[in-house]
Amino acid sequence: MMSQAARQAEKVIGHGDNATTAQNVTNPGNDESTADYSETMKALAWYGKNEVRMIDTPKPKILEDRDVIVKVTGSTVCGSDLHLLHGTVVEMQKGDILGHEFCGVVDECGPGVTKFKKGQRVVASFQIACGDCYYCKQKLSSQCEKTNSNTIENAMYGGRTAGMFGYSHFTGGYAGGQAEYTRVAYGDVNLLPLPDDVPDEAGLFLSDVLCTSWHAVVDTGVNKGDVVAIWGAGPIGQMAADFSLMQGASRVIMIDSNWRLDFVKARYPNVDTLDFSTLAKGESVTSKLKEMCNNRGPDVSIECAAGEYAKGWAHYFEMMLGLETDTSELINEMITSTRNMGRCGITGVYVGFTNHFNIGSLMERGIRLIGNGQAPVHMYWESLLQMIQEKRIDPMKMVTHRVRLEDLDKVYYKFEKKEDGMQKVFVETKWSFPASKGSPELTRY
């Protein structure tokens, strides 16, 4: 309901005049001026809170000179996609095509595209940047000033982020990559060539996970010798752990519960774990971390979970009643756990406002609280690609499942419930290349 109200308010108020590319193009089937009716495609679309569907819809067409149409050969499901499924992110509209992480092959180029040609393998950044505004010139692509004209976001945040694929009209309204084709605005800027020695199953994750994890680590300031605590043992947390150790951290502690910590223990043997669900009466995450870290706490704490998952009843009811959009519980745990004058970074998604924030501990003990923001993919993806080529990082070790696009509606619900040990998936389409070495066997649902 909140999402639809925000969408109606946006329609009444109107967009800003800053965007230099088409807005609200979330499904070619909803606007014949954006559709290529010569071919239909399969795509995953949002149809309301907790409801996604596989649909058949026209493929997108070139709208602007610098557009590229990508034939998708791989995509994935991200924990932040669940915020859309749950209706946490506002301004969703029925039929919006989801998916902000994808790779593929160039199918068609607009006349203004100079860097790519048909048949070339590419990965897309999850954000859409113009390449020439104030932020883009600094490679801060996630904050591009010209690809998102949403007025509600500007009013809520005091500024706008860049447009994003498959992530609601709040971020410009662009069709996502959980489809057989996707239109990429400013294709020369928002696509990166994939070399032959990097398979889709690895290169795909340059679109978000790798850049987001790396950014969380370097932006929060992990230094040699630091003890780092990470909240959330999902793919972002796992790669943040890897990158922290690469930056010289002396110890990394992962906080979570259930089988995900078993997964971490098996694949990340240099990472310690803390299961908050098994703490004894009278113990807390904060007290346990102090005990594990010389009674001071970690030097650096990084939140890689999200603000929509309440642990206690107070926040649960406040969120249900609309009194807050996000819980402050994990942020407060980070603040109270971190040593005096330490650093806390937030890379998990928070969309609005929170209550009961422990500002006293933050101020009195000199904790540096850093909103890492949406990661500027363009700043990092070339160097991270090189790390993959040099075998310094292996993004495939976080992948648990290979699935078909046709089954993606079912996969969403399994992913949400963490069934079948599902953590990170590689979604293949009819255009996908044969599975590379190390890719999980195909699972059909």
Side-chain angles (χ1 to χ4, degrees):
M1 186 176 293
M2 183 184 296
S3 181
Q4 297 307 306
R7 184 78 190 106
Q8 290 304 314
E10 181 76 22
K11 288 180 178 179
V12 172
I13 298 168
H15 286 332
D17 59 2
N18 58 299
T20 55
T21 184
Q23 306 285 280
N24 302 318
V25 284
T26 55
N27 184 337
N30 292 342
D31 182 352
E32 63 180 18
S33 68
T34 69
D36 178 352
Y37 286 97
S38 68
E39 187 176 346
T40 59
M41 67 174 186
K42 293 192 179 299
L44 183 93
W46 186 88
Y47 270 86
K49 185 175 180 179
N50 298 321
E51 183 181 358
V52 291
R53 300 178 192 170
M54 289 304 305
I55 62 170
D56 291 302
T57 192
K59 68 178 283 191
K61 72 177 184 181
I62 297 287
L63 301 181
E64 297 158 353
D65 285 354
R66 296 174 66 184
D67 285 355
V68 171
I69 304 299
V70 172
K71 185 184 290 184
V72 178
T73 57
S75 65
T76 188
V77 182
C78 178
S80 56
D81 288 323
L82 296 181
H83 307 318
L84 302 176
L85 177 66
H86 299 155
T88 305
V89 177
V90 298
E91 293 201 56
M92 292 296 293
Q93 186 171 312
K94 287 185 178 180
D96 287 351
I97 296 173
L98 303 183
H100 57 276
E101 302 170 84
F102 62 97
C103 62
V105 173
V106 173
D107 186 63
E108 187 180 356
C109 294
V113 175
T114 60
K115 295 182 180 179
F116 297 100
K117 60 184 180 181
K118 186 180 175 80
Q120 194 167 358
R121 290 179 60 233
V122 292
V123 60
S125 59
F126 75 86
Q127 59 230 212
I128 300 157
C130 72
D132 64 6
C133 72
Y134 171 83
Y135 291 109
C136 286
K137 287 177 180 177
Q138 302 175 69
K139 294 289 187 181
L140 297 173
S141 49
S142 60
Q143 307 303 319
C144 175
E145 297 175 306
K146 296 184 178 181
T147 56
N148 179 12
S149 62
N150 188 276
T151 301
I152 299 295
E153 187 187 47
N154 190 49
M156 281 181 64
Y157 295 164
R160 300 179 179 91
T161 63
M164 298 178 196
F165 289 105
Y167 217 74
S168 90
H169 298 262
F170 194 66
T171 61
Y174 295 88
Q178 290 168 355
E180 290 175 338
Y181 292 95
T182 303
R183 168 186 167 262
V184 178
Y186 294 116
D188 279 341
V189 178
N190 297 302
L191 295 171
L192 180 72
L194 286 178
D196 292 341
D197 60 345
V198 176
D200 283 357
E201 293 92 337
L204 164 65
F205 299 108
L206 291 164
S207 59
D208 179 359
V209 176
L210 295 178
C211 297
T212 295
S213 305
W214 179 255
H215 179 64
V217 169
V218 299
D219 191 52
T220 310
V222 174
N223 297 316
K224 186 175 181 179
D226 281 342
V227 175
V228 180
I230 296 174
W231 274 254
I236 297 290
Q238 290 169 30
M239 293 309 303
D242 253 2
F243 289 140
S244 293
L245 293 169
M246 286 178 62
Q247 290 292 93
S250 61
R251 187 182 187 188
V252 175
I253 304 167
M254 188 85 70
I255 301 104
D256 208 319
S257 64
N258 66 49
W259 60 266
R260 293 210 299 185
L261 289 181
D262 294 330
F263 183 91
V264 169
K265 291 174 186 176
R267 299 201 185 188
Y268 299 82
N270 294 326
V271 175
D272 294 330
T273 60
L274 171 55
D275 187 339
F276 65 79
S277 69
T278 63
L279 293 173
K281 186 176 181 179
E283 282 189 324
S284 65
V285 170
T286 294
S287 67
K288 194 65 179 176
L289 281 173
K290 299 282 188 186
E291 179 186 315
M292 296 171 73
C293 303
N294 297 318
N295 292 317
R296 294 191 187 94
D299 302 289
V300 177
S301 295
I302 304 176
E303 203 277 49
C304 296
E308 75 158 292
Y309 304 110
K311 294 172 71 176
W313 287 110
H315 284 280
Y316 174 82
F317 283 115
E318 288 177 4
M319 292 170 70
M320 186 175 68
L321 294 170
L323 300 176
E324 65 176 0
T325 59
D326 304 276
T327 174
S328 59
E329 290 161 293
L330 296 189
I331 296 176
N332 286 341
E333 278 185 359
M334 281 205 304
I335 291 170
T336 56
S337 298
T338 303
R339 68 159 173 82
N340 293 13
M341 297 294 178
R343 303 175 297 286
C344 295
I346 305 173
T347 201
V349 172
Y350 286 73
V351 298
F353 305 95
T354 188
N355 299 327
H356 315 295
F357 174 65
N358 195 342
I359 194 169
S361 179
L362 181 82
M363 181 270 157
E364 296 290 351
R365 299 194 303 116
I367 304 298
R368 274 62 174 163
L369 182 62
I370 301 160
N372 300 129
Q374 298 289 350
V377 170
H378 298 181
M379 182 178 288
Y380 305 122
W381 61 352
E382 291 176 337
S383 59
L384 289 167
L385 173 61
Q386 186 174 347
M387 289 185 194
I388 295 173
Q389 291 179 289
E390 294 171 351
K391 312 297 184 187
R392 294 171 61 196
I393 56 175
D394 178 16
M396 290 175 66
K397 72 179 180 180
M398 62 183 166
V399 180
T400 57
H401 290 71
R402 185 184 185 96
V403 299
R404 303 185 310 159
L405 176 66
E406 291 86 344
D407 295 331
L408 199 51
D409 52 346
K410 304 179 189 73
V411 169
Y412 254 71
Y413 301 121
K414 287 189 174 291
F415 181 74
E416 177 190 27
K417 297 173 183 175
K418 300 181 175 66
E419 293 180 354
D420 299 341
M422 186 177 288
Q423 180 188 243
K424 198 66 176 174
V425 301
F426 180 86
V427 182
E428 68 174 35
T429 73
K430 66 181 181 181
W431 311 121
S432 294
F433 300 101
S436 66
K437 184 179 179 181
S439 177
E441 293 291 324
L442 180 66
T443 302
R444 301 172 73 112
Y445 293 101

